[in-house]
Amino acid sequence: MSWSPNHPDSVDTLFERRKAPVLALADDAGTVAAACLGMARRFHRGGKLVVFGNGGPSTDAQHVAVEFVHPVIVGKRALPALSLTADVATVTGVASRAGLDDIFAHQLRIIGDPADIALGISTDGACANVRRALETARDLGMLTVALTGGDGGAIAATPGLDHVLVARSTDPRVVKEVHVTTYHVLWELVHVFFEQPGLLEVAS
């Protein structure tokens, strides 16, 4: 069978599949900016960023933490961040006693502070342990930010979360790609706001 540009897996089709979710993220710029300003204010008050997710998003969580702690852009300020997925001993220890649904929430109850930021990442918005951790963070008074996919799932429907950013695709690969773009934008805009100290004194 000969290949043609109209084949379902053609290059044009592959890029087209990614265009709408990225444009939707751009259309949601106000929500993204509000999340970044809230994060910058928490950092300004001495808070830290705590990131978590399962599977692929667990590596995203570690990636996000590194971006903030060790900026690749020379001259940008390092900001305190940690990933709850980086410590295998803690994750498996909590899972064996409290169950998988509590692996992140348990850690937040111990190390979370009201000044902190909780960033939960879920490809489909249906991860029970990410949702429970965001609920715990909300109850602790932390700023809550969620990156989800599809229609946002149960996480987007969770009451009281501060910021929910949805990669509007049912393809987990595309969601992953949009999430990477999203947290790079979060990092960049947090630093933009951080360089405007007059904005950071307003209560968040």
Side-chain angles (χ1 to χ4, degrees):
M1 182 176 67
S2 62
W3 182 90
S4 78
N6 295 321
H7 189 277
D9 292 327
S10 71
V11 174
D12 288 346
T13 301
L14 294 176
F15 277 106
E16 191 64 31
R17 189 184 305 155
R18 288 155 170 80
K19 185 185 298 183
V22 173
L23 291 176
L25 175 64
D27 288 342
D28 209 17
T31 303
V32 174
C36 294
L37 180 56
M39 292 171 68
R41 286 173 173 164
R42 295 296 177 115
F43 281 125
H44 181 67
R45 285 166 20 199
K48 63 184 176 293
L49 173 63
V50 185
V51 200
F52 44 90
N54 299 286
S58 73
T59 62
D60 285 324
Q62 294 178 58
H63 184 169
V64 174
V66 171
E67 293 278 353
F68 279 89
V69 171
H70 184 65
V72 296
I73 306 300
V74 175
K76 292 298 182 183
R77 178 173 175 171
L79 296 169
L82 61 94
S83 165
L84 297 185
T85 67
D87 184 347
V88 175
T90 298
V91 169
T92 55
V94 173
S96 69
R97 286 284 186 89
L100 288 172
D101 285 357
D102 213 41
I103 57 175
F104 304 132
H106 175 84
Q107 294 181 71
L108 283 177
R109 293 185 201 107
I110 305 303
I111 67 172
D113 184 89
D116 293 343
I117 307 150
L119 174 57
I121 308 173
S122 172
T123 303
D124 58 5
C127 298
N129 52 20
V130 173
R131 177 174 53 79
R132 184 174 294 184
L134 287 166
E135 291 172 336
T136 299
R138 175 201 63 198
D139 295 345
L140 288 170
M142 298 171 67
L143 182 77
T144 52
V145 183
L147 303 188
T148 68
D151 63 359
I155 290 174
T158 301
L161 300 186
D162 295 300
H163 306 285
V164 179
L165 306 175
V166 183
R168 300 198 177 279
S169 173
T170 56
D171 185 332
R173 298 166 300 178
V174 175
V175 171
K176 165 86 170 180
E177 293 157 10
V178 176
H179 280 174
V180 173
T181 298
T182 302
Y183 60 70
H184 282 160
V185 170
L186 291 178
W187 177 88
E188 191 164 349
L189 279 179
V190 163
H191 281 276
V192 169
F193 286 124
F194 221 88
E195 293 162 4
Q196 305 293 325
L199 294 173
L200 303 179
E201 299 299 337
V202 181
S204 61

